[in-house]
Amino acid sequence: MKTGEPKWEKWDPGTMVLLWRALGLLLLSSLWLSGPTSEAGVVLLLVLLIMALARWRFALPGWTVLIDQVACFLVFPDWPQASLALALPVFEGLLAGQPWLLLPGLSWALLFTPLSPLLGAALTQAAFSGWALGCWTRTARISRREADRQRRDRYELERLKSELLMANIQAARTAELTERNRIARQLHDDVGHELTAAVLALQAFEQLWREEDPRAGDMLLQLKQRLSIGAEHLRETVYNIQPIKPLGADRLREIAGGFTACPVGFQVHGDTSAV
């Protein structure tokens, strides 16, 4: 429990149900000890205790409250106080949300047992407690299912987020490789071809120059054109590599230069490649 958490929050429906069952069995045991001892009363208490433990450990179906009622019917001739034990099956029936299963026990109590204020109070209190704890249990179960669903959705979102991040990283790597291949292909197809042609033109010019061929001037002009075209292709390739917007320290310098609210000075020292 967290510091400052209200103490009542540690009580969950399961704890309250277990406490009510234990209290009911304790009161029946006190009633048996305070009156004439009867072996049938001990048998009834053992049956009710076994059923309570079974319901605590296992999810028994609702019709098992009939077993508690039959035990009360059988023990009543030898121990008349067994009619008060009907409070336990009444509690269990309303806790399970199946009050129609209590019709045999309530009908028998009205027909064959003297109706006393104590019996009426016990049955009323058991019915109200069972109904209240049953509503609380069902509400808590719905809340737990909703919490589990939200937890699963949150885990699914986290998984999708991780997948999206990995997909973005993979897409960035793919784009980088694609851009590298494009630049390499452009350098090879444009600049490389022009430089190769320029080298061939230079070799031809040297040969014509040694032979004093008048075509050497035309070959020199062609060599210059090839070199100019290659240099232009190289400048275009370098320009396309540069980002549209400045990055790193250059971006900070641009932001500082465009700030007009007050004069801002921007100075750079050292290596800014990591910015």
Side-chain angles (χ1 to χ4, degrees):
M1 185 176 64
K2 297 180 180 180
T3 305
E5 182 180 354
K7 294 183 178 180
W8 57 268
E9 290 188 2
K10 67 181 180 180
W11 298 104
D12 58 350
T15 303
M16 296 302 296
V17 169
L18 183 62
L19 182 62
W20 197 97
R21 289 169 178 167
L23 184 61
L25 291 172
L26 183 61
L27 291 176
L28 283 177
S29 301
S30 301
L31 184 64
W32 179 79
L33 292 174
S34 62
T37 57
S38 171
E39 295 179 356
V42 176
V43 174
L44 177 61
L45 290 174
L46 289 176
V47 171
L48 295 178
L49 176 61
I50 292 172
M51 294 302 298
L53 292 176
R55 291 188 180 99
W56 173 50
R57 296 299 299 172
F58 307 102
L60 297 182
W63 60 264
T64 54
V65 298
L66 297 175
I67 299 176
D68 303 61
Q69 297 177 65
V70 170
C72 295
F73 300 159
L74 297 177
V75 173
F76 179 74
D78 294 331
W79 188 41
Q81 301 298 331
S83 59
L84 294 174
L86 286 173
L88 288 175
V90 168
F91 171 79
E92 298 294 346
L94 289 174
L95 178 65
Q98 298 175 338
W100 55 87
L101 296 174
L102 305 175
L103 292 177
L106 295 179
S107 301
W108 176 83
L110 293 175
L111 294 176
F112 299 102
T113 60
L115 188 60
S116 62
L118 180 60
L119 178 60
L123 296 180
T124 302
Q125 190 273 342
F128 176 78
S129 299
W131 171 79
L133 289 177
C135 294
W136 189 8
T137 301
R138 287 185 286 274
T139 301
R141 189 179 300 117
I142 294 174
S143 300
R144 283 195 297 270
R145 284 200 297 265
E146 181 65 19
D148 293 339
R149 185 188 65 80
Q150 293 180 359
R151 191 179 299 108
R152 287 194 300 269
D153 293 343
R154 186 165 59 252
Y155 290 157
E156 183 67 17
L157 289 176
E158 291 293 334
R159 186 183 64 82
L160 292 177
K161 179 180 177 181
S162 301
E163 291 181 356
L164 287 175
L165 290 176
M166 293 300 299
N168 289 336
I169 295 174
Q170 187 65 29
R173 291 176 179 174
T174 303
E176 182 180 358
L177 292 176
T178 303
E179 183 65 13
R180 288 181 178 179
N181 293 332
R182 185 191 68 81
I183 295 172
R185 185 171 59 252
Q186 186 173 359
L187 290 175
H188 178 270
D189 295 342
D190 297 336
V191 181
H193 289 173
E194 295 298 332
L195 291 179
T196 301
V199 171
L200 295 176
L202 178 61
Q203 293 175 355
F205 168 76
E206 291 177 348
Q207 183 65 28
L208 294 175
W209 177 265
R210 284 194 295 267
E211 297 177 358
E212 297 182 356
D213 193 318
R215 292 178 298 177
D218 296 336
M219 191 59 62
L220 179 60
L221 180 60
Q222 184 179 359
L223 172 61
K224 292 180 179 180
Q225 292 176 351
R226 292 289 185 182
L227 290 176
S228 298
I229 294 174
E232 182 64 25
H233 287 316
L234 184 60
R235 283 194 297 268
E236 291 180 356
T237 303
V238 173
Y239 178 78
N240 293 331
I241 294 175
Q242 294 178 352
I244 298 177
K245 291 186 177 181
L247 301 176
D250 294 333
R251 177 58 177 164
L252 295 177
R253 181 181 291 105
E254 183 185 55
I255 294 174
F259 189 74
T260 58
C262 63
V264 176
F266 184 82
Q267 297 179 355
V268 177
H269 303 280
D271 184 13
T272 61
S273 60
V275 179

